Amino acid sequence: MIDQLIMIGGGALAIEVATYIDDINIKLRTQGKLDCLIAVTDVVSSMPSREEDLNRIFGQAPKYHIDINLVDSIDQKRFVICIGDPRARWRIGTELKEKGFRLRTIVHPTAYIAKTAQVDEGGVVCPYAFVGPFARVGKNAVLNVSSVVGHDAVVGRAAVLSPGARMNGNTRCGEAAFLGAGATLTPKTELGNFAMLSAGSVLTKCAGDGFLMHGNPATGRQMIKIPVAHCSGQTRER
């Protein structure tokens, strides 16, 4: 049975994910697995800024909606969140879960995932990403192009790793956290929930929830408001 998907978002990440889905379908066709193909039937976005580009990638126009409640046969489809803001991903993922909807994991054929690693529901693993042994990628997280998740590392729910971001072994990136392009977590460091590590920065000591970290070694301050129900108790840089 062909997998029917609903994309949330119609911007830059949406055209990337659409391209990855097309690449996955090409691979499945070459393997003769025509009953496993992925079909995007609907796009939910208040402003689908790349609508024409999405139509070109899909080869036909899916249905566009400004409200999720307008989607037909929604219970028979799965969702992929195509929004790069981790806080928005966290919020939308929570809302979909509360409504009982399911997410679809998208893994590009060129990505490497160790057999002992785990990528949870709704994850987006982009080209040439690496997920090492016993690593875990939480629900609805994004591993962008050429990002690295080392052995035993943990990527929190709805976290986003930008292109070239690196998590060394035994590191943790919290829920809805963000790693900028080329940012690095050195071994045994943790970046808290809803925290950010700017592009090119290197985290050498643990940072708590809501911290904005910058530099090499990274320093920063707590400045991002965190939903109370999802605080881990980390309130200060360590």
Side-chain angles (χ1 to χ4, degrees):
M1 182 177 180
I2 294 178
D3 221 350
Q4 298 184 60
L5 293 192
I6 304 165
M7 294 178 66
I8 303 291
L13 185 56
I15 63 167
E16 290 188 3
V17 173
T19 302
Y20 305 156
I21 290 172
D22 190 47
D23 291 342
I24 293 168
N25 281 338
I26 290 171
K27 182 176 180 180
L28 291 171
R29 288 189 185 98
T30 61
Q31 296 173 342
K33 299 179 180 179
L34 300 181
D35 57 339
C36 299
L37 298 179
I38 304 171
V40 175
T41 60
D42 304 86
V43 176
V44 178
S45 175
S46 57
M47 292 187 300
S49 59
R50 305 298 295 268
E51 181 175 346
E52 291 186 8
D53 295 325
L54 287 171
N55 294 346
R56 287 178 59 190
I57 294 169
F58 295 138
Q60 57 184 0
K63 296 180 180 178
Y64 289 87
H65 315 274
I66 59 171
D67 189 326
I68 192 174
N69 297 310
L70 300 176
V71 178
D72 296 329
S73 305
I74 194 169
D75 294 334
Q76 302 172 23
K77 302 172 183 179
R78 290 197 284 177
F79 288 82
V80 57
I81 301 174
C82 302
I83 296 173
D85 178 358
R87 294 172 68 86
R89 295 186 67 84
W90 183 87
R91 175 182 56 80
I92 294 168
T94 300
E95 292 172 355
L96 292 175
K97 180 180 178 181
E98 290 174 348
K99 293 179 179 180
F101 297 136
R102 299 178 302 156
L103 296 176
R104 174 63 153 83
T105 304
I106 301 296
V107 178
H108 193 269
T110 61
Y112 173 83
I113 300 175
K115 66 179 181 180
T116 54
Q118 179 178 335
V119 177
D120 289 345
E121 179 184 61
V124 177
V125 184
C126 301
Y128 306 107
F130 173 93
V131 182
F134 300 102
R136 177 169 180 177
V137 179
K139 291 183 178 180
N140 191 26
V142 176
L143 306 184
N144 222 305
V145 177
S146 298
S147 56
V148 173
V149 179
H151 67 86
D152 301 293
V154 177
V155 180
R157 177 166 64 105
V160 174
L161 274 62
S162 297
R166 298 177 293 273
M167 294 177 60
N168 280 281
N170 291 301
T171 54
R172 178 185 179 275
C173 180
E175 289 191 8
F178 177 82
L179 270 62
T184 300
L185 269 61
T186 58
K188 299 183 180 180
T189 56
E190 296 184 11
L191 184 67
N193 299 330
F194 299 88
M196 301 177 70
L197 181 63
S198 67
S201 296
V202 179
L203 190 70
T204 59
K205 58 181 180 179
C206 296
D209 294 341
F211 269 76
L212 174 60
M213 306 295 292
H214 175 74
N216 181 11
T219 58
R221 58 177 178 166
Q222 189 178 36
M223 61 181 299
I224 303 170
K225 187 176 179 181
I226 308 157
V228 174
H230 293 273
C231 286
S232 67
Q234 296 174 312
T235 58
R236 294 179 295 175
E237 181 184 356
R238 299 185 293 177

